[in-house]
Amino acid sequence: MPLFDTHNTWAFVFGLMGNVISFAVFLSPVPTFYRVWKKKTTEGFQSLPYVVALFSATLWLYYATQKKDVFLLVTINAFGCFIETIYISIFLAFAPKKARMLTVKLLLLMNFGGFCLILLLCQFLAKGTTRAKIIGGICVGFSVCVFAAPLSIIRTVIKTRSVEYMPFSLSLTLTISAVVWLLYGLALKDIYVAFPNVIGFALGALQMILYVVYKYCKTPPQLGEKEVEAAKLPEVTLDMLKLGTVSSPEPIPVVRQTNKCTCGNDRRAETEDGQNGKQSSSTTV
């Protein structure tokens, strides 16, 4: 079988586009981890988005090995496993003991124990197309569950009436990524690839609508601490491979400005000065 099977032209085009966009999404946390490496501290960042991204990429890579003519699906998920492993390694190197131990537990529970269990059950209890369907169903179920993170961001935007917690460029990129991978799945007639990206596109479109609606809104002064903490969520990479979270988990500071109108005070002062002037002039006469 050739390295790139181009008999399905549209699948090849959309898969290539999906690879380019997803490469960019996978690399988006690089500035964050460069800062972590430079400062020798994780600054309270969480490792969960990267552990989840690694698990998702591993599942999709396993699914791709059960299919034919999906080399572009293999390339992007292999790169995802590679880059997420680097992110997690840097996190483990500079994280405090408590965060490091939690990350190790998550890796053992999800990426080692969970994946090995799925691998063994599918390899010994299912064969051929049945195995591919089971793995595809697991990938879809996990991907749909991970959509909780974008929903939290949407809730924060609606509650605060501000889009400062939802960068437009990231939301647009993830929406385009979901559309491209959706078209790739449709071109291959693969429901397991296409279906998660229907949800991805819907959430991306909702984020675009919210951005337009609240573009000129500012964060109200009475914003509570709970809303601020909810806004400090990790950046999520929503594409066919990860469908949930990765990105820059850097907390976003909330800047509050209070504009006070002093026009009335100035006029009052002028009036008082005028009256004082009249009184002083009358006494001198």
Side-chain angles (χ1 to χ4, degrees), residues 56-66 73-75 77-78 81 139:
S56 180
T58 306
L59 283 177
W60 282 110
L61 185 60
Y62 180 40
Y63 172 74
T65 60
Q66 308 299 314
L73 194 62
V74 174
T75 55
N77 283 287
C81 292
C139 290

Side-chain angles (χ1 to χ4, degrees), residues 153 157 163-174 207-208 211 235-236 248 252:
I153 292 291
V157 170
V163 295
E164 62 180 313
Y165 310 116
M166 186 179 65
F168 178 79
S169 59
L170 177 64
S171 299
L172 179 61
T173 302
L174 297 177
Q207 291 183 40
M208 297 295 98
Y211 188 90
E235 194 175 289
V236 178
S248 174
I252 303 176

Side-chain angles (χ1 to χ4, degrees), residues 59 62-63 66 122 130-140:
L59 283 177
Y62 180 40
Y63 172 74
Q66 308 299 314
C122 291
T130 303
R131 180 189 300 163
K133 290 179 181 179
I134 293 175
I135 300 171
I138 294 173
C139 290
V140 171

